[in-house]
Amino acid sequence: MCGIVGLFLKDKSLEPELGAMLSSMLVTMTDRGPDSAGIAIYGASSGNSAKITIQSARPKKDFSGLEAELMKELGAGVSIDIKSTHAVVTLPKDMLEEGRAAIADLRPDIRIMSSGDAIEIYKETGLPKDVVSRFAVNAMAGTHGIGHTRMATESAVTTLGAHPFSTGSDQCLVHNGSLSNHNNLRRELKREGMMFETENDTEVAAAYLTAEMAKGKNLGEALEGAVDDLDGFFTFVVGTKSGFGVVRDAIACKPAVMAETDRYVAFGSEYRALVSLPGIEAARIWEPEPATVYFWER
Amino acid sequence: MPTFDLAVTPLRDLNQALHDVASGDNDLQFDVINPRGHHAVAAGVHAPVSIDIHGSVGYYCGGMNEEAVITVHGSAGPGVAENMMSGRITIKGDASQYAGATGCGGLLVIEGNASSRCGISMKGIDIVVRGNIGHMSAFMAQAGNLVVLGDAGDALGDSLYEARIFVRGKVESLGADCIEKEMRAEHIELLSALLKEAGITDVRPEEFSRYGSSRKLYNFNVDNADAY
């Protein structure tokens, strides 16, 4: 089944509570997908610095000494904030690509979950309540975020198989459904230079959007293309640095409910995920139409 | 008049109490508060009780209903009134996918909009929707009536059997083997009765168009292979 949630805040005063609100939505969706859980949070981008979220199966060994080694390698100020199996590397904005390369070089076993100005991604196998408490998602502030509870169908129950998938700077995607043309599309995207870390169908969808946006499309336009070019069942919720989008395939059998108030736009696989949001009783609530792109930008 | 607060009482207790209602019982009015999108609220009820649910429900509300009169003062998730046998279910808000699917009898009234696959495989249920319905509605519908005051989405009545469809607004497209049919006096009479039963008094049956099966796909004919 899988459960997906998303929250895009319009009211700044809610920003300190983003992590708590998203966590609660995600935990409610546990019985749609108890295999793994993940969350992407967009915090405030901090001027000249950027962030890379990394993950390791052996965090003690891999994260130890990494800060100093990176500083030496890059010749610039780097800080690392370790959270369980994940760590957020903060570095100068113009060194994002060098930083990614240096991490891959220094610690080949480390996986890069996301990189960009604002995004952080935390994902692991296990129940959503354990995953969110492990990374203290409750305490995180931010402007928007998406989350996923996974019932694995197309590929393995591993950390890398968990959603969200991030294939471009500050971009991420969560998916409920299964794609049927992902192998072909993966081959085509590889030819265009996209890199893949898994055999997961959702990673292909994320890479497709990244590739389309690299051609100059905005997120809304890239999502329009997804309706034509991706085959299978999907409800996607996607995030960019400043945007939040939702699209369903033309058959639209994967559930989706949206709510909008003056303070936020929220997405849930089920209405249950939304019931704790402030002012939900008075929100405009609707079911997104098939093959229709919904897109908000700040 | 028992009231169940689903914020504190397990759903199972509510459904058990509804299933325990016996013939001759007097306490037949149930109130449910804080449903908070719970699944299977008032599912499998088999007694002439009246149930008011104050808020929105999740999947399969009122599924398999027999005899009960259920009102949801909110919206309903997927599969509301699925396989209903008799009684009446009213949704004051919107309904999600496959409302009234496979229903064998009774009346389902949706005062808002219904989503895709409304009345899929319906087998005798009557469904009245004040708003619009989504794509693939009444797919393989076998018997009963689907009445829509608003518009219908793509592929209405695909592979339809003997169910009747009445739509007042526009139809995005008709599915395989579904055609528009003449509104005869008997249909006006039937529709009048359905609208009256649903409590709808502000529209006239003459404003509707009738759709039904052209019965070309009843028996396999290789010339129709592309239509399946």
Side-chain angles (χ1 to χ4, degrees):
Chain A
M1 284 200 288
C2 295
I4 50 182
V5 297
L7 189 58
F8 177 84
L9 299 179
K10 301 179 189 173
D11 180 349
K12 273 189 101 57
S13 71
L14 284 174
E15 288 179 9
E17 294 164 52
L18 180 78
M21 290 160 85
L22 259 181
S23 300
S24 150
M25 293 166 78
L26 194 68
V27 171
T28 308
M29 290 292 94
T30 300
D31 51 9
R32 295 193 66 89
D35 291 336
S36 60
I39 202 154
I41 288 219
Y42 291 85
S45 49
S46 51
N48 291 325
S49 63
K51 297 187 272 198
I52 302 174
T53 312
I54 54 178
Q55 186 268 355
S56 168
R58 292 163 304 172
K60 270 207 178 103
K61 179 171 170 288
D62 281 341
F63 296 159
S64 159
L66 184 59
E67 189 174 277
E69 288 174 58
L70 274 174
M71 264 199 270
K72 194 174 156 209
E73 186 77 19
L74 298 173
V78 173
S79 69
I80 296 189
D81 181 14
I82 297 171
K83 289 183 179 180
S84 183
T85 54
H86 287 50
V88 179
V89 180
T90 305
L91 71 176
K93 201 173 189 168
D94 55 0
M95 302 196 101
L96 199 56
E97 284 316 307
E98 285 167 86
R100 282 185 71 121
I103 291 166
D105 195 33
L106 292 166
R107 298 284 191 279
D109 292 341
I110 275 183
R111 285 116 169 215
I112 293 178
M113 300 275 115
S114 67
S115 64
D117 293 354
I119 191 174
E120 292 176 27
I121 287 183
Y122 301 91
K123 59 184 190 184
E124 279 293 354
T125 55
L127 289 173
K129 74 172 169 54
D130 299 331
V131 173
V132 295
S133 78
R134 192 167 180 179
F135 301 113
V137 177
N138 267 309
M140 292 180 74
T143 52
H144 56 297
I146 63 180
H148 186 269
T149 66
R150 179 164 189 245
M151 186 171 279
T153 53
E154 289 277 306
S155 55
V157 181
T158 60
T159 298
L160 277 187
H163 304 207
F165 281 93
S166 179
T167 51
S169 182
D170 279 317
Q171 295 169 14
C172 67
L173 174 146
V174 291
H175 171 205
N176 180 16
S178 56
L179 301 178
S180 48
N181 65 339
H182 63 100
N183 283 327
N184 248 341
L185 204 51
R186 188 185 290 107
R187 270 195 294 277
E188 286 170 23
L189 289 165
K190 273 183 182 165
R191 266 202 296 275
E192 290 177 28
M194 296 297 299
M195 310 273 275
F196 290 89
E197 295 195 70
T198 70
E199 291 299 306
N200 190 290
D201 57 336
T202 305
E203 189 182 15
V204 176
Y208 168 86
L209 294 179
T210 299
E212 292 300 297
M213 285 191 275
K215 292 172 193 161
K217 290 185 178 177
N218 69 22
L219 175 60
E221 290 163 345
L223 289 171
E224 298 276 359
V227 171
D228 295 328
D229 293 337
L230 299 178
D231 190 17
F233 298 118
F234 55 87
T235 294
F236 292 139
V237 180
V238 299
T240 63
K241 187 176 166 185
S242 56
F244 176 77
V246 172
V247 69
R248 301 167 86 191
D249 67 88
I251 305 287
C253 60
K254 291 297 175 185
V257 183
M258 304 211 60
E260 184 168 15
T261 70
D262 292 343
R263 307 182 76 193
Y264 58 79
V265 178
F267 175 96
S269 289
E270 297 177 29
Y271 176 74
R272 277 191 301 159
L274 312 178
V275 294
S276 300
L277 294 173
I280 191 72
E281 301 78 13
R284 182 172 82 91
I285 293 176
W286 77 102
E287 193 166 294
E289 294 286 327
T292 303
V293 172
Y294 297 82
F295 177 52
W296 289 264
E297 193 142 41
R298 65 182 66 254
Chain B
M1 190 174 85
T3 295
F4 285 79
D5 182 352
L6 293 184
V8 292
T9 308
L11 174 68
R12 204 170 276 266
D13 291 2
L14 165 70
N15 283 340
Q16 191 63 58
L18 291 167
H19 298 168
D20 286 345
V21 173
S23 164
D25 282 1
N26 290 323
D27 229 352
L28 299 178
Q29 168 67 47
F30 288 74
D31 264 299
V32 180
I33 59 173
N34 292 315
R36 296 168 66 85
H38 267 303
H39 298 169
V41 175
V45 181
H46 184 184
V49 294
S50 174
I51 306 162
D52 280 277
I53 302 163
H54 302 276
S56 294
V57 291
Y59 284 66
Y60 309 126
C61 176
M64 303 172 282
N65 184 52
E66 285 194 271
E67 302 185 67
V69 173
I70 301 173
T71 305
V72 177
H73 301 270
S75 291
V80 65
E82 187 163 292
N83 210 51
M84 178 153 80
M85 304 304 286
S86 64
R88 175 186 178 125
I89 298 181
T90 304
I91 311 299
K92 295 284 184 186
D94 297 333
S96 185
Q97 313 176 74
Y98 42 95
T102 76
C104 292
L107 174 67
L108 169 63
V109 179
I110 297 161
E111 297 193 354
N113 301 309
S115 179
S116 58
R117 293 171 274 272
C118 180
I120 185 170
S121 196
M122 53 196 277
K123 299 180 179 117
I125 189 174
D126 293 323
I127 304 174
V128 179
V129 182
R130 185 172 261 287
N132 306 321
I133 58 172
H135 62 284
M136 293 301 280
S137 288
F139 175 53
M140 291 183 82
Q142 290 144 57
N145 301 287
L146 173 60
V147 179
V148 185
L149 275 65
D151 302 332
D154 272 323
L156 178 71
D158 193 289
S159 306
L160 189 69
Y161 293 85
E162 292 306 295
R164 299 178 199 87
I165 306 174
F166 301 95
V167 182
R168 182 160 158 268
K170 69 177 201 311
V171 172
E172 199 67 41
S173 68
L174 292 173
D177 214 28
C178 183
I179 53 168
E180 185 171 350
K181 293 184 166 183
E182 181 196 0
M183 277 286 262
R184 296 194 299 268
E186 74 215 62
H187 303 117
I188 298 285
E189 195 180 331
L190 169 75
L191 189 50
S192 299
L194 283 167
L195 289 169
K196 192 174 169 206
E197 206 187 335
I200 290 170
T201 54
D202 56 343
V203 298
R204 293 181 307 114
E206 292 79 9
E207 296 166 13
F208 289 76
S209 301
R210 179 169 75 101
Y211 302 88
S213 173
S214 68
R215 304 188 178 97
K216 287 211 173 75
L217 301 181
Y218 270 38
N219 301 298
F220 183 75
N221 177 341
V222 74
D223 295 336
N224 291 333
D226 288 345
Y228 286 97

